[in-house]
Amino acid sequence: MGKTKKARNRSKFNYNKNKKNLKKKIRRKEKPHIDCPQIRNAWDEHKTVKQNLQDMGLSLGTKGLLPIKNKKESKPEEKVVLKPYVVEAMEVEASHRGEDKTTCSTDMTEFVQHMVKEYNEDYKAMARDEKNYYQDTPKQIKRKVELYKRCHPEEYAAFIASLKSQKST
């Protein structure tokens, strides 16, 4: 017994349809992923993007933000913010200073410690040192030293203190 017409058609590949475009179309119809938790919590799915952002006191873009001055004086429209807590929460989060997560590699710390031990603050002499394998310029070496100071301030302070104690003895 043969297959029905529907079953036969289902197994065929349609070369006239672009699968990439179909996938893009489906992805566009899905809800957008909002990274900001304050906006995500206050989002109303029954409103448009522009309406949602206006309710929160935010703007969709920069177009139309600054009023164009006409010769005739007109009263500026005051926008009512229905959800002011969103902007307040975002301001509070932005005011917290994030931790500096940059670190130095062990090779770089050894390089900087060697250079500072040998030459103190003389970056031109550091650039001529034979341990300067990558032929860094004085400015590049200075930046590396400053990065080391910023990333590991306690370690740098202890290193400088040990150098001073060695010189005094």
Side-chain angles (χ1 to χ4, degrees):
M1 196 170 222
K3 293 183 182 179
T4 62
K5 187 176 181 183
K6 248 186 183 179
R8 274 184 281 143
N9 286 346
R10 206 177 301 132
S11 62
K12 290 181 184 176
F13 184 80
N14 190 354
Y15 290 95
N16 295 328
K17 287 188 179 178
N18 189 340
K19 293 286 186 178
K20 205 179 220 182
N21 288 349
L22 287 173
K23 198 170 186 179
K24 280 182 189 177
K25 210 181 273 187
I26 291 169
R27 201 177 298 140
R28 257 188 249 124
K29 287 183 180 179
E30 290 175 356
K31 288 189 285 184
H33 176 70
I34 302 168
D35 291 329
C36 181
Q38 294 88 357
I39 294 176
R40 192 181 326 119
N41 293 336
W43 196 264
D44 185 5
E45 294 179 14
H46 302 293
K47 292 183 179 179
T48 63
V49 174
K50 189 174 182 180
Q51 289 171 340
N52 271 310
L53 292 176
Q54 279 179 347
D55 288 351
M56 294 177 213
L58 303 171
S59 66
L60 183 61
T62 56
K63 187 176 181 181
L65 284 180
L66 297 173
I68 299 171
K69 294 181 181 178
N70 293 337
K71 292 183 179 179
K72 299 176 185 174
E73 291 184 30
S74 61
K75 296 179 183 177
E77 297 176 18
E78 291 187 24
K79 296 177 181 172
V80 179
V81 179
L82 300 176
K83 301 174 184 177
Y85 59 89
V86 175
V87 175
E88 292 166 5
M90 289 172 72
E91 287 174 351
V92 167
E93 186 179 333
S95 67
H96 295 299
R97 190 160 184 264
E99 293 180 18
D100 191 16
K101 295 179 181 176
T102 55
T103 58
C104 301
S105 66
T106 54
D107 294 338
M108 197 169 112
T109 56
E110 290 172 6
F111 171 74
V112 169
Q113 286 178 353
H114 167 74
M115 292 297 183
V116 170
K117 187 177 185 179
E118 295 290 320
Y119 306 104
N120 278 342
E121 297 284 319
D122 189 9
Y123 298 109
K124 286 184 181 178
M126 289 181 193
R128 290 190 301 269
D129 189 79
E130 62 184 30
K131 287 231 177 178
N132 183 9
Y133 301 124
Y134 298 111
Q135 297 184 349
D136 293 329
T137 63
K139 274 191 172 181
Q140 288 173 322
I141 295 173
K142 185 177 182 181
R143 270 191 236 117
K144 285 184 179 182
V145 171
E146 288 172 357
L147 177 72
Y148 177 65
K149 286 180 188 178
R150 193 179 53 224
C151 291
H152 308 287
E154 300 89 14
E155 190 179 320
Y156 180 77
F159 174 68
I160 295 296
S162 69
L163 284 180
K164 287 182 181 177
S165 66
Q166 285 178 358
K167 285 184 181 178
S168 64
T169 56

